[in-house]
């Protein structure tokens, strides 16, 4: 089963599938060049995002208005699928200057098809075995390539403040972590969020539990930044017994 497979850490790349478990960024050598080229065409391109398991390999835009790129692509041309863009409050200057929680938004199809466009493919990560095999997300900013490891996947109402860039108090951070733990579809050994960890949050629309068609529910993938010199460590993903779903809080 997926859960049984999730309990056995994999060592990457031996099955040849895209996104198979490997800590090495498959695009590291090219992401900087891609980012420079994208920024030359549009100065709003601030980062390059690579998610092998979701077939994402694109620029991340950022402006002072979070709604600007909602229906514009990287060339600022109308597109119903928009593009990937970072929260306007985040800093994408360097690893050191990252906010506590960097948020990147992208569209998803209303049918939540795992093979759909843009961030619709993030719905693949609702499967424990898939997270086990595809635990890494790669983000490049000017001159630096960073690796994040997935620590949580959940669906939430937008009332939960998961997109805040910084935690004002220790209590606020603790409450955030407790809420994520309750909502997390998985129990993940080897990837706990620790003091000082910087997070990357991917957010997209979700209709799976939105019975009243409010449009206010999101699929969220949270990953933590790994140290530059970190070596691959044991990582085991299993289904949580009873994750908290929207409407059941």
């Amino acid at each position: 089963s997926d859960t049984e497979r999730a309990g056995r850490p994999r060592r990457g790349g031996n099955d040849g599938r895209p996104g198979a478990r490997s800590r090495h960024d498959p695009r590291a050598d090219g992401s900087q060049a891609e980012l420079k080229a994208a920024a030359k065409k549009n100065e709003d391109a601030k980062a390059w995002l690579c998610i092998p398991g979701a077939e994402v390999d694109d620029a991340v835009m950022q402006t002072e208005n979070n709604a600007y790129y909602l229906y514009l692509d990287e060339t600022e041309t109308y597109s119903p699928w928009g593009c990937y863009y970072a929260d306007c409050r985040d800093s994408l200057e360097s690893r050191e200057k990252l906010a506590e929680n960097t948020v990147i938004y992208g569209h998803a199809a209303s049918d939540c098809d795992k093979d759909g466009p843009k961030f619709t493919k993030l719905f693949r990560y609702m499967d424990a075995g898939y997270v086990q095999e595809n635990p890494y997300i790669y983000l490049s900013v000017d001159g630096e390539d960073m690796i994040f490891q997935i620590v949580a996947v959940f669906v939430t109402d937008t009332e939960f403040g998961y997109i805040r860039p910084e935690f004002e108090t220790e209590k606020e951070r603790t409450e955030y972590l407790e809420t994520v733990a309750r909502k997390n579809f998985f129990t993940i050994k080897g990837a706990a969020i620790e003091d000082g960890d910087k997070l990357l949050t991917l957010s997209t629309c979700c209709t799976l539990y939105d019975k009243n068609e409010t449009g206010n529910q999101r699929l969220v993938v949270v990953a933590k930044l790994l140290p530059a010199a970190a070596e691959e460590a044991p990582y085991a993903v299993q289904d949580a017994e009873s994750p908290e779903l929207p409407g059941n809080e």
Side-chain angles (χ1 to χ4, degrees):
S1 70
D2 290 336
T3 303
E4 290 171 343
R5 186 169 71 248
R8 296 194 295 270
R10 298 171 60 90
R11 293 295 165 178
N14 57 4
D15 60 0
R17 284 180 289 177
R21 193 165 190 265
S22 172
R23 190 180 168 278
H24 174 68
D25 182 353
R27 293 283 291 114
D29 297 335
S31 294
Q32 288 296 325
E34 296 275 18
L35 177 56
K36 285 182 172 60
K40 190 173 182 180
K41 295 176 183 177
N42 185 341
E43 63 181 8
D44 291 338
K46 303 298 184 183
W48 194 269
L49 179 66
C50 181
I51 314 174
E55 300 173 39
V56 172
D57 191 15
D58 289 288
V60 176
M61 316 306 282
Q62 186 183 41
T63 67
E64 296 179 354
N65 178 359
N66 274 345
Y68 184 76
Y69 279 103
L70 194 59
Y71 296 111
L72 295 179
D73 65 15
E74 296 88 344
T75 65
E76 297 178 272
T77 302
Y78 172 77
S79 168
W81 297 108
C83 61
Y84 305 113
Y85 61 96
D87 193 286
C88 61
R89 299 168 293 178
D90 295 336
S91 172
L92 294 173
E93 294 179 42
S94 66
R95 169 189 286 263
E96 183 179 348
K97 293 183 178 180
L98 284 180
E100 284 185 83
N101 183 29
T102 298
V103 181
I104 297 177
Y105 305 101
H107 283 295
S110 59
D111 61 4
C112 305
D113 180 4
K114 296 176 184 178
D115 294 319
K118 295 294 184 178
F119 268 176
T120 319
K121 293 183 179 66
L122 289 181
F123 285 90
R124 297 173 180 177
Y125 289 83
M126 291 179 68
D127 174 83
Y130 201 80
V131 175
Q132 178 75 48
E133 296 175 2
N134 300 272
Y136 301 120
I137 298 171
Y138 308 95
L139 186 70
S140 295
V141 296
D142 187 16
E144 291 186 277
D145 300 308
M146 295 173 284
I147 302 175
F148 294 78
Q149 188 169 37
I150 293 173
V151 294
V153 180
F154 58 89
V155 174
T156 184
D157 290 319
T158 53
E159 292 178 3
F160 173 38
Y162 69 93
I163 62 172
R164 72 192 78 185
E166 304 287 348
F167 301 99
E168 300 298 329
T169 64
E170 188 62 34
K171 179 182 179 183
E172 192 174 274
R173 179 181 172 87
T174 298
E175 289 177 347
Y176 163 84
L177 294 177
E178 290 176 347
T179 303
V180 168
R182 291 197 308 271
K183 293 176 178 291
N184 198 352
F185 289 137
F186 310 118
T187 298
I188 301 179
K189 296 180 180 179
I193 302 174
E194 300 173 352
D195 288 345
D197 278 346
K198 293 188 175 183
L199 305 176
L200 175 65
T201 296
L202 309 178
S203 176
T204 195
C205 292
C206 176
T207 62
L208 292 177
Y209 309 103
D210 194 5
K211 297 179 181 179
N212 296 323
E213 299 182 355
T214 65
N216 292 328
Q217 295 183 8
R218 302 290 184 269
L219 173 69
V220 182
V221 177
V222 180
K224 73 171 188 176
L225 178 63
L226 296 179
E231 295 184 0
E232 187 173 5
Y235 179 85
V237 184
Q238 294 182 317
D239 292 313
E241 288 188 10
S242 55
E244 184 180 273
L245 297 174
N248 296 327
E249 289 89 345

